[in-house]
């Protein structure tokens, strides 16, 4: 598969962070902010889909064509992309993340112990590993934390959810400090008439908006104290771990495939003699 310079820049430059010139979100401007943000988000989704397929083994060598002896066209995928992600996640998140205090205050230590217990009850270690796989593959990922309104004695007072970056994003202000303005969770549902409905749940630090097909259908205040949707990025460029070396990985696939082609072509070679007597 041929790749133009434009394609390379589009895919390998990392995801685009979403900014808005507004300093706050209200029912008056949220649709405008969301409309502009969705354009950038759609671009990011296209790149994420490419990276997702690449890690799964759908790499350019699969679409390779061969003009000379096209019947011998081996397409070898040496999936180093998946190996890179597996190594990085295992190396950095091989042990559970625990919270410690630098204070000598015994009360703080006991509270932290209780907090770590809550994290264990919520299965945060496994969720951290899965979250790392997401942002190390795509460049960024999202986590949603909501209170557990039906808390039981053997559960944490909150729920932790890992979100696919294709269905979530955070909008930041262009003002100094780039404060997060709003977290957005996207979902698609099918109504009774078999029509697809776009639902966008938007959280600010004090308010919640539910927008269905571009119309605000719910607006209320919440008591979380901050935006419950948090963005995790792999690096400041929002690039996945193998994204920078995709050209090299493509070259490895090409070399492997040509090596197998060369062996097969040599074995199947036909020797032709012209004007030569053979005993």
């Amino acid at each position: 598969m041929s790749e133009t310079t434009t394609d390379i820049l589009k895919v390998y430059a990392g995801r685009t962070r979403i900014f808005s010139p507004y300093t706050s979100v209200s029912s008056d401007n949220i649709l405008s902010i969301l409309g502009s943000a969705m354009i950038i988000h759609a671009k990011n989704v296209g790149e994420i889909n490419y990276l997702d397929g690449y890690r799964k083994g759908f790499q350019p060598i699969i679409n390779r064509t061969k003009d000379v002896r096209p019947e011998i066209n081996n397409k070898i995928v040496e999936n180093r992309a998946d190996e890179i992600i597996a190594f990085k996640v295992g190396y950095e998140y091989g042990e559970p993340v625990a919270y410690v205090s630098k204070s000598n205050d015994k009360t703080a230590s006991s509270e932290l112990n209780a907090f770590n217990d809550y994290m264990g009850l919520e299965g945060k270690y496994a969720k951290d590993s899965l979250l790392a796989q997401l942002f190390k593959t795509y460049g960024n990922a999202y986590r949603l934390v909501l209170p557990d309104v039906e808390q039981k004695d053997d559960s944490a007072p909150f729920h932790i959810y890992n979100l696919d970056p294709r269905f979530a994003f955070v909008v930041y202000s262009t003002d100094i400090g780039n404060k997060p303005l709003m977290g957005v969770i996207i979902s698609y549902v099918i109504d009774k008439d078999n029509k697809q409905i776009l639902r966008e749940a938007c959280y600010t630090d004090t308010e919640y908006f539910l927008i269905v097909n571009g119309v605000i259908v719910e607006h209320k205040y919440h008591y979380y104290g901050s935006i419950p949707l948090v963005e995790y990025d792999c690096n400041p460029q929002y690039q996945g771990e193998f994204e920078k070396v995709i050209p090299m990985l493509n070259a490895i696939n090409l070399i492997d495939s040509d090596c197998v082609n060369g062996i097969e072509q040599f074995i199947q070679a036909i020797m032709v003699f012209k004007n030569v007597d053979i005993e």
Side-chain angles (χ1 to χ4, degrees):
M1 184 200 311
S2 62
E3 293 175 308
T4 65
T5 303
T6 304
D7 293 331
I8 292 173
L9 290 175
K10 176 182 177 182
V11 175
Y12 308 147
R15 313 294 72 71
T16 302
R17 201 175 189 187
I18 301 176
F19 291 98
S20 172
Y22 291 94
T23 56
S24 63
V25 178
S26 67
S27 56
D28 295 328
N29 62 17
I30 187 171
L31 295 180
S32 175
I33 295 174
L34 196 56
S36 299
M38 287 293 287
I39 296 173
I40 302 173
H41 177 67
K43 168 185 174 295
N44 288 337
V45 168
E47 297 176 1
I48 288 172
N49 286 333
Y50 178 88
L51 294 172
D52 183 66
Y54 196 98
R55 186 190 171 186
K56 292 176 179 176
F58 299 101
Q59 299 178 12
I61 192 68
I62 292 177
N63 297 320
R64 181 192 186 191
T65 58
K66 191 164 173 284
D67 296 329
V68 179
R69 297 199 70 180
E71 72 279 6
I72 300 178
N73 185 17
N74 291 281
K75 302 171 183 180
I76 309 299
V77 175
E78 187 174 332
N79 201 343
R80 296 285 183 175
D82 184 67
E83 182 182 348
I84 290 170
I85 299 300
F87 171 78
K88 294 291 287 186
V89 173
Y91 181 78
E92 296 180 17
Y93 294 87
E95 296 292 333
V97 176
Y99 299 89
V100 297
S101 173
K102 295 181 179 180
S103 172
N104 294 324
D105 186 353
K106 294 182 179 180
T107 303
S109 298
S110 62
E111 291 175 350
L112 270 177
N113 289 335
F115 186 66
N116 282 319
D117 290 341
Y118 287 147
M119 293 300 181
L121 291 171
E122 192 60 22
K124 184 174 178 290
Y125 167 50
K127 292 177 181 179
D128 282 345
S129 180
L130 293 174
L131 183 72
Q133 290 188 48
L134 291 174
F135 67 72
K136 287 187 176 296
T137 302
Y138 309 136
N140 63 348
Y142 299 88
R143 169 166 284 171
L144 178 68
V145 181
L146 293 176
D148 182 3
V149 295
E150 299 179 355
Q151 184 186 357
K152 300 178 181 179
D153 293 338
D154 58 347
S155 66
F158 51 82
H159 287 304
I160 298 175
Y161 304 94
N162 292 340
L163 303 182
D164 190 314
R166 285 169 284 198
F167 300 100
F169 60 86
V170 173
V171 180
Y172 297 88
S173 170
T174 55
D175 202 3
I176 297 174
N178 302 130
K179 182 186 76 171
L181 289 177
M182 176 174 65
V184 181
I185 303 171
I186 303 168
S187 60
Y188 297 91
V189 297
I190 303 298
D191 65 7
K192 60 182 179 180
D193 298 323
N194 204 32
K195 294 181 180 179
Q196 181 173 273
I197 298 175
L198 171 63
R199 294 168 57 93
E200 297 159 306
C202 306
Y203 293 90
T204 69
D205 53 358
T206 57
E207 297 175 83
Y208 168 79
F209 299 86
L210 178 60
I211 300 171
V212 178
N213 286 344
V215 178
I216 301 174
V217 297
E218 186 176 352
H219 174 209
K220 61 183 180 181
Y221 290 88
H222 65 72
Y223 55 87
Y224 307 149
S226 63
I227 299 173
L229 183 66
V230 180
E231 182 174 45
Y232 290 74
D233 56 83
C234 186
N235 47 54
Q237 295 77 35
Y238 281 37
Q239 284 185 303
E241 291 288 3
F242 64 83
E243 196 170 348
K244 299 183 181 75
V245 295
I246 283 180
M248 185 183 298
L249 302 184
N250 290 339
I252 291 173
N253 289 340
L254 181 62
I255 292 170
D256 288 347
S257 301
D258 280 345
C259 284
V260 178
N261 285 344
I263 294 171
E264 191 172 345
Q265 287 171 167
F266 179 79
I267 293 173
Q268 298 182 15
I270 300 175
M271 185 174 293
V272 178
F273 295 89
K274 292 185 177 181
N275 299 323
V276 174
D277 294 330
I278 302 176
E279 295 180 359

